Amino acid sequence: PRGLVCMAKQLLSRFEREFIVRGVNADFRADGRGCRDYRHFNIETGIVSNTSGSAKIQLERTSAVVGVKAEIGTPNPTTPSAGKIEFFVDCSALASPEFEGRGGEELGQHLALCLDEAYRNPSALPLPSLAIIPGRQCWVLFVDVLVLEWSGSVLDALSLAVTAALQDTKLPQLTVTGEGEEVEIEVSDNPHDSTPLDATNAPIIITLTEVGHSFIVDASHEEEACSSCRLSLAINRAGDTLAISKDGPGGIPYSKLHDIISMANDVALEMFERMEDLLHPQPPSTGRT
């Protein structure tokens, strides 16, 4: 499937491109941000009924809804004592003209693959804890993503929503009875009789986009159209890099790689703090009068 660089077909004149590139090189982007600055975003959880967990993100004009459905299934033969997580990304044709026809389908496949690589890492989710009967039954987390609007930085926005939805996910209590081939699994239908999924180490993805001679975070659609290369890193709260993927035909000088990864780690920790403030706001302190 085509990558994000190939999908960024925003039509810009030569003068618009020069304006964007010069601004980035001067650490003063077209919208006033510095190279390391994220746009304002809002995130909510528990917004979709009939799911085990859900979230919605709005990052400027990029928005998406994520629903997680936990179902009992069969484990992978290669990991018989662990659960599974599967991603499906639907890019609505209303989000961008580029999503019409095969364009949206190919981008959805690309995004699902990137998310799968990030969250399937053993350090991301405790998949072994999702085993029910090793080798026979396990929890399968089906993560459905709907991209509603796109104004750049879609992969990063999706990862924020996915992690929030996983943190919102609750697994029903199970009762396993019998032995051997006579084992039966009873699922509690009491919504209060459930266990939160341990998504403490679920990552978020930070994409560094090369524009001119500099790398920026949270690129707008126009900035993406001026780039030939980007590097996406999945980073958890501990600062561990769980996955790295490169997109676009451009190259990344080895001499810049350390600084790029360090920059991504700093931004990731800041984004975790911002997400925590949105999902679990602290009550205002009341001083004595």
Side-chain angles (χ1 to χ4, degrees), residues 83-105:
K84 299 190 295 186
I85 184 168
E86 298 183 4
F87 290 91
F88 175 76
V89 180
D90 180 13
C91 297
S92 170
L94 299 177
S96 170
E98 298 166 10
F99 293 170
E100 295 180 359
R102 291 283 299 173
E105 181 180 341

PDB file of all heavy atoms in Angstrom, residues 83-105:
ATOM      1  N   GLY A  83      -3.072 -13.600  23.987  1.00  0.00           N
ATOM      2  CA  GLY A  83      -4.205 -13.069  23.252  1.00  0.00           C
ATOM      3  C   GLY A  83      -3.748 -12.401  21.968  1.00  0.00           C
ATOM      4  O   GLY A  83      -2.570 -12.450  21.591  1.00  0.00           O
ATOM      5  N   LYS A  84      -4.685 -11.759  21.272  1.00  0.00           N
ATOM      6  CA  LYS A  84      -4.378 -11.128  19.991  1.00  0.00           C
ATOM      7  C   LYS A  84      -4.969  -9.722  19.938  1.00  0.00           C
ATOM      8  O   LYS A  84      -5.925  -9.402  20.638  1.00  0.00           O
ATOM      9  CB  LYS A  84      -4.956 -11.948  18.829  1.00  0.00           C
ATOM     10  CG  LYS A  84      -4.410 -13.355  18.710  1.00  0.00           C
ATOM     11  CD  LYS A  84      -4.844 -14.003  17.395  1.00  0.00           C
ATOM     12  CE  LYS A  84      -6.345 -14.216  17.314  1.00  0.00           C
ATOM     13  NZ  LYS A  84      -6.746 -14.989  16.094  1.00  0.00           N
ATOM     14  N   ILE A  85      -4.386  -8.890  19.080  1.00  0.00           N
ATOM     15  CA  ILE A  85      -4.937  -7.579  18.782  1.00  0.00           C
ATOM     16  C   ILE A  85      -4.919  -7.403  17.271  1.00  0.00           C
ATOM     17  O   ILE A  85      -3.931  -7.730  16.614  1.00  0.00           O
ATOM     18  CB  ILE A  85      -4.152  -6.457  19.495  1.00  0.00           C
ATOM     19  CG1 ILE A  85      -4.815  -5.090  19.237  1.00  0.00           C
ATOM     20  CG2 ILE A  85      -2.690  -6.443  19.094  1.00  0.00           C
ATOM     21  CD1 ILE A  85      -4.283  -3.978  20.115  1.00  0.00           C
ATOM     22  N   GLU A  86      -6.023  -6.941  16.713  1.00  0.00           N
ATOM     23  CA  GLU A  86      -6.147  -6.776  15.263  1.00  0.00           C
ATOM     24  C   GLU A  86      -6.715  -5.397  14.964  1.00  0.00           C
ATOM     25  O   GLU A  86      -7.628  -4.923  15.659  1.00  0.00           O
ATOM     26  CB  GLU A  86      -7.039  -7.872  14.678  1.00  0.00           C
ATOM     27  CG  GLU A  86      -6.488  -9.277  14.879  1.00  0.00           C
ATOM     28  CD  GLU A  86      -7.335 -10.357  14.224  1.00  0.00           C
ATOM     29  OE1 GLU A  86      -8.324  -9.986  13.548  1.00  0.00           O
ATOM     30  OE2 GLU A  86      -7.021 -11.553  14.393  1.00  0.00           O
ATOM     31  N   PHE A  87      -6.191  -4.767  13.914  1.00  0.00           N
ATOM     32  CA  PHE A  87      -6.579  -3.405  13.558  1.00  0.00           C
ATOM     33  C   PHE A  87      -7.276  -3.365  12.202  1.00  0.00           C
ATOM     34  O   PHE A  87      -6.894  -4.076  11.270  1.00  0.00           O
ATOM     35  CB  PHE A  87      -5.348  -2.492  13.506  1.00  0.00           C
ATOM     36  CG  PHE A  87      -4.738  -2.205  14.847  1.00  0.00           C
ATOM     37  CD1 PHE A  87      -3.732  -3.022  15.355  1.00  0.00           C
ATOM     38  CD2 PHE A  87      -5.167  -1.129  15.605  1.00  0.00           C
ATOM     39  CE1 PHE A  87      -3.171  -2.769  16.595  1.00  0.00           C
ATOM     40  CE2 PHE A  87      -4.617  -0.865  16.841  1.00  0.00           C
ATOM     41  CZ  PHE A  87      -3.617  -1.679  17.335  1.00  0.00           C
ATOM     42  N   PHE A  88      -8.280  -2.516  12.132  1.00  0.00           N
ATOM     43  CA  PHE A  88      -8.914  -2.199  10.856  1.00  0.00           C
ATOM     44  C   PHE A  88      -9.130  -0.696  10.818  1.00  0.00           C
ATOM     45  O   PHE A  88      -9.700  -0.111  11.757  1.00  0.00           O
ATOM     46  CB  PHE A  88     -10.256  -2.909  10.697  1.00  0.00           C
ATOM     47  CG  PHE A  88     -10.996  -2.505   9.445  1.00  0.00           C
ATOM     48  CD1 PHE A  88     -10.611  -2.996   8.209  1.00  0.00           C
ATOM     49  CD2 PHE A  88     -12.044  -1.602   9.509  1.00  0.00           C
ATOM     50  CE1 PHE A  88     -11.269  -2.602   7.053  1.00  0.00           C
ATOM     51  CE2 PHE A  88     -12.717  -1.206   8.366  1.00  0.00           C
ATOM     52  CZ  PHE A  88     -12.324  -1.713   7.128  1.00  0.00           C
ATOM     53  N   VAL A  89      -8.640  -0.043   9.764  1.00  0.00           N
ATOM     54  CA  VAL A  89      -8.749   1.409   9.621  1.00  0.00           C
ATOM     55  C   VAL A  89      -9.576   1.736   8.389  1.00  0.00           C
ATOM     56  O   VAL A  89      -9.258   1.285   7.283  1.00  0.00           O
ATOM     57  CB  VAL A  89      -7.358   2.072   9.516  1.00  0.00           C
ATOM     58  CG1 VAL A  89      -7.499   3.580   9.359  1.00  0.00           C
ATOM     59  CG2 VAL A  89      -6.509   1.743  10.747  1.00  0.00           C
ATOM     60  N   ASP A  90     -10.622   2.512   8.592  1.00  0.00           N
ATOM     61  CA  ASP A  90     -11.504   2.940   7.508  1.00  0.00           C
ATOM     62  C   ASP A  90     -11.336   4.443   7.321  1.00  0.00           C
ATOM     63  O   ASP A  90     -11.605   5.221   8.240  1.00  0.00           O
ATOM     64  CB  ASP A  90     -12.960   2.606   7.857  1.00  0.00           C
ATOM     65  CG  ASP A  90     -13.935   3.024   6.754  1.00  0.00           C
ATOM     66  OD1 ASP A  90     -13.479   3.344   5.639  1.00  0.00           O
ATOM     67  OD2 ASP A  90     -15.155   3.049   7.029  1.00  0.00           O
ATOM     68  N   CYS A  91     -10.863   4.841   6.157  1.00  0.00           N
ATOM     69  CA  CYS A  91     -10.687   6.258   5.841  1.00  0.00           C
ATOM     70  C   CYS A  91     -11.923   6.737   5.087  1.00  0.00           C
ATOM     71  O   CYS A  91     -12.131   6.392   3.922  1.00  0.00           O
ATOM     72  CB  CYS A  91      -9.435   6.478   4.995  1.00  0.00           C
ATOM     73  SG  CYS A  91      -7.905   6.019   5.848  1.00  0.00           S
ATOM     74  N   SER A  92     -12.756   7.506   5.770  1.00  0.00           N
ATOM     75  CA  SER A  92     -13.999   7.974   5.173  1.00  0.00           C
ATOM     76  C   SER A  92     -13.722   8.846   3.956  1.00  0.00           C
ATOM     77  O   SER A  92     -12.850   9.713   3.971  1.00  0.00           O
ATOM     78  CB  SER A  92     -14.801   8.769   6.210  1.00  0.00           C
ATOM     79  OG  SER A  92     -15.890   9.429   5.609  1.00  0.00           O
ATOM     80  N   ALA A  93     -14.474   8.605   2.883  1.00  0.00           N
ATOM     81  CA  ALA A  93     -14.322   9.407   1.674  1.00  0.00           C
ATOM     82  C   ALA A  93     -14.673  10.866   1.924  1.00  0.00           C
ATOM     83  O   ALA A  93     -14.262  11.747   1.164  1.00  0.00           O
ATOM     84  CB  ALA A  93     -15.191   8.844   0.556  1.00  0.00           C
ATOM     85  N   LEU A  94     -15.414  11.129   3.003  1.00  0.00           N
ATOM     86  CA  LEU A  94     -15.762  12.513   3.339  1.00  0.00           C
ATOM     87  C   LEU A  94     -14.586  13.258   3.954  1.00  0.00           C
ATOM     88  O   LEU A  94     -14.591  14.492   4.011  1.00  0.00           O
ATOM     89  CB  LEU A  94     -16.951  12.533   4.308  1.00  0.00           C
ATOM     90  CG  LEU A  94     -18.255  11.915   3.796  1.00  0.00           C
ATOM     91  CD1 LEU A  94     -19.311  11.935   4.891  1.00  0.00           C
ATOM     92  CD2 LEU A  94     -18.752  12.669   2.565  1.00  0.00           C
ATOM     93  N   ALA A  95     -13.580  12.514   4.453  1.00  0.00           N
ATOM     94  CA  ALA A  95     -12.442  13.149   5.109  1.00  0.00           C
ATOM     95  C   ALA A  95     -11.525  13.845   4.115  1.00  0.00           C
ATOM     96  O   ALA A  95     -10.934  14.875   4.414  1.00  0.00           O
ATOM     97  CB  ALA A  95     -11.655  12.113   5.904  1.00  0.00           C
ATOM     98  N   SER A  96     -11.398  13.271   2.924  1.00  0.00           N
ATOM     99  CA  SER A  96     -10.503  13.844   1.916  1.00  0.00           C
ATOM    100  C   SER A  96     -10.855  13.256   0.556  1.00  0.00           C
ATOM    101  O   SER A  96     -11.182  12.064   0.455  1.00  0.00           O
ATOM    102  CB  SER A  96      -9.037  13.532   2.252  1.00  0.00           C
ATOM    103  OG  SER A  96      -8.185  13.876   1.168  1.00  0.00           O
ATOM    104  N   PRO A  97     -10.789  14.047  -0.499  1.00  0.00           N
ATOM    105  CA  PRO A  97     -11.023  13.499  -1.839  1.00  0.00           C
ATOM    106  C   PRO A  97     -10.061  12.372  -2.190  1.00  0.00           C
ATOM    107  O   PRO A  97     -10.386  11.506  -2.997  1.00  0.00           O
ATOM    108  CB  PRO A  97     -10.813  14.712  -2.761  1.00  0.00           C
ATOM    109  CG  PRO A  97     -11.061  15.898  -1.895  1.00  0.00           C
ATOM    110  CD  PRO A  97     -10.575  15.502  -0.529  1.00  0.00           C
ATOM    111  N   GLU A  98      -8.871  12.376  -1.543  1.00  0.00           N
ATOM    112  CA  GLU A  98      -7.876  11.350  -1.821  1.00  0.00           C
ATOM    113  C   GLU A  98      -8.304   9.982  -1.291  1.00  0.00           C
ATOM    114  O   GLU A  98      -7.713   8.961  -1.638  1.00  0.00           O
ATOM    115  CB  GLU A  98      -6.538  11.751  -1.206  1.00  0.00           C
ATOM    116  CG  GLU A  98      -5.979  13.047  -1.783  1.00  0.00           C
ATOM    117  CD  GLU A  98      -4.849  13.612  -0.941  1.00  0.00           C
ATOM    118  OE1 GLU A  98      -4.393  12.910  -0.029  1.00  0.00           O
ATOM    119  OE2 GLU A  98      -4.440  14.750  -1.188  1.00  0.00           O
ATOM    120  N   PHE A  99      -9.326   9.948  -0.418  1.00  0.00           N
ATOM    121  CA  PHE A  99      -9.769   8.693   0.164  1.00  0.00           C
ATOM    122  C   PHE A  99     -10.809   7.990  -0.696  1.00  0.00           C
ATOM    123  O   PHE A  99     -11.248   6.895  -0.357  1.00  0.00           O
ATOM    124  CB  PHE A  99     -10.355   8.931   1.552  1.00  0.00           C
ATOM    125  CG  PHE A  99      -9.345   9.392   2.568  1.00  0.00           C
ATOM    126  CD1 PHE A  99      -9.752   9.849   3.815  1.00  0.00           C
ATOM    127  CD2 PHE A  99      -7.991   9.375   2.294  1.00  0.00           C
ATOM    128  CE1 PHE A  99      -8.831  10.275   4.756  1.00  0.00           C
ATOM    129  CE2 PHE A  99      -7.062   9.799   3.221  1.00  0.00           C
ATOM    130  CZ  PHE A  99      -7.482  10.252   4.459  1.00  0.00           C
ATOM    131  N   GLU A 100     -11.228   8.611  -1.763  1.00  0.00           N
ATOM    132  CA  GLU A 100     -12.235   7.985  -2.613  1.00  0.00           C
ATOM    133  C   GLU A 100     -11.626   6.798  -3.365  1.00  0.00           C
ATOM    134  O   GLU A 100     -10.475   6.829  -3.787  1.00  0.00           O
ATOM    135  CB  GLU A 100     -12.801   9.008  -3.596  1.00  0.00           C
ATOM    136  CG  GLU A 100     -13.576  10.144  -2.922  1.00  0.00           C
ATOM    137  CD  GLU A 100     -14.122  11.143  -3.924  1.00  0.00           C
ATOM    138  OE1 GLU A 100     -13.873  10.956  -5.134  1.00  0.00           O
ATOM    139  OE2 GLU A 100     -14.786  12.114  -3.502  1.00  0.00           O
ATOM    140  N   GLY A 101     -12.425   5.755  -3.540  1.00  0.00           N
ATOM    141  CA  GLY A 101     -11.964   4.584  -4.292  1.00  0.00           C
ATOM    142  C   GLY A 101     -10.843   3.859  -3.579  1.00  0.00           C
ATOM    143  O   GLY A 101     -10.836   3.706  -2.356  1.00  0.00           O
ATOM    144  N   ARG A 102      -9.843   3.446  -4.358  1.00  0.00           N
ATOM    145  CA  ARG A 102      -8.740   2.658  -3.816  1.00  0.00           C
ATOM    146  C   ARG A 102      -7.818   3.468  -2.917  1.00  0.00           C
ATOM    147  O   ARG A 102      -7.103   2.908  -2.084  1.00  0.00           O
ATOM    148  CB  ARG A 102      -7.919   2.077  -4.974  1.00  0.00           C
ATOM    149  CG  ARG A 102      -8.636   1.018  -5.780  1.00  0.00           C
ATOM    150  CD  ARG A 102      -8.663  -0.306  -5.063  1.00  0.00           C
ATOM    151  NE  ARG A 102      -7.313  -0.821  -4.829  1.00  0.00           N
ATOM    152  CZ  ARG A 102      -7.041  -1.903  -4.112  1.00  0.00           C
ATOM    153  NH1 ARG A 102      -8.026  -2.557  -3.522  1.00  0.00           N
ATOM    154  NH2 ARG A 102      -5.804  -2.317  -3.951  1.00  0.00           N
ATOM    155  N   GLY A 103      -7.833   4.797  -3.067  1.00  0.00           N
ATOM    156  CA  GLY A 103      -6.928   5.630  -2.281  1.00  0.00           C
ATOM    157  C   GLY A 103      -7.142   5.453  -0.792  1.00  0.00           C
ATOM    158  O   GLY A 103      -6.188   5.238  -0.026  1.00  0.00           O
ATOM    159  N   GLY A 104      -8.401   5.541  -0.340  1.00  0.00           N
ATOM    160  CA  GLY A 104      -8.685   5.382   1.071  1.00  0.00           C
ATOM    161  C   GLY A 104      -8.413   3.978   1.564  1.00  0.00           C
ATOM    162  O   GLY A 104      -7.948   3.769   2.688  1.00  0.00           O
ATOM    163  N   GLU A 105      -8.690   2.984   0.737  1.00  0.00           N
ATOM    164  CA  GLU A 105      -8.456   1.595   1.127  1.00  0.00           C
ATOM    165  C   GLU A 105      -6.973   1.330   1.326  1.00  0.00           C
ATOM    166  O   GLU A 105      -6.564   0.684   2.304  1.00  0.00           O
ATOM    167  CB  GLU A 105      -9.021   0.663   0.058  1.00  0.00           C
ATOM    168  CG  GLU A 105      -8.855  -0.819   0.387  1.00  0.00           C
ATOM    169  CD  GLU A 105      -9.426  -1.707  -0.701  1.00  0.00           C
ATOM    170  OE1 GLU A 105     -10.241  -1.225  -1.512  1.00  0.00           O
ATOM    171  OE2 GLU A 105      -9.049  -2.898  -0.736  1.00  0.00           O
TER     172      GLU A 105
END
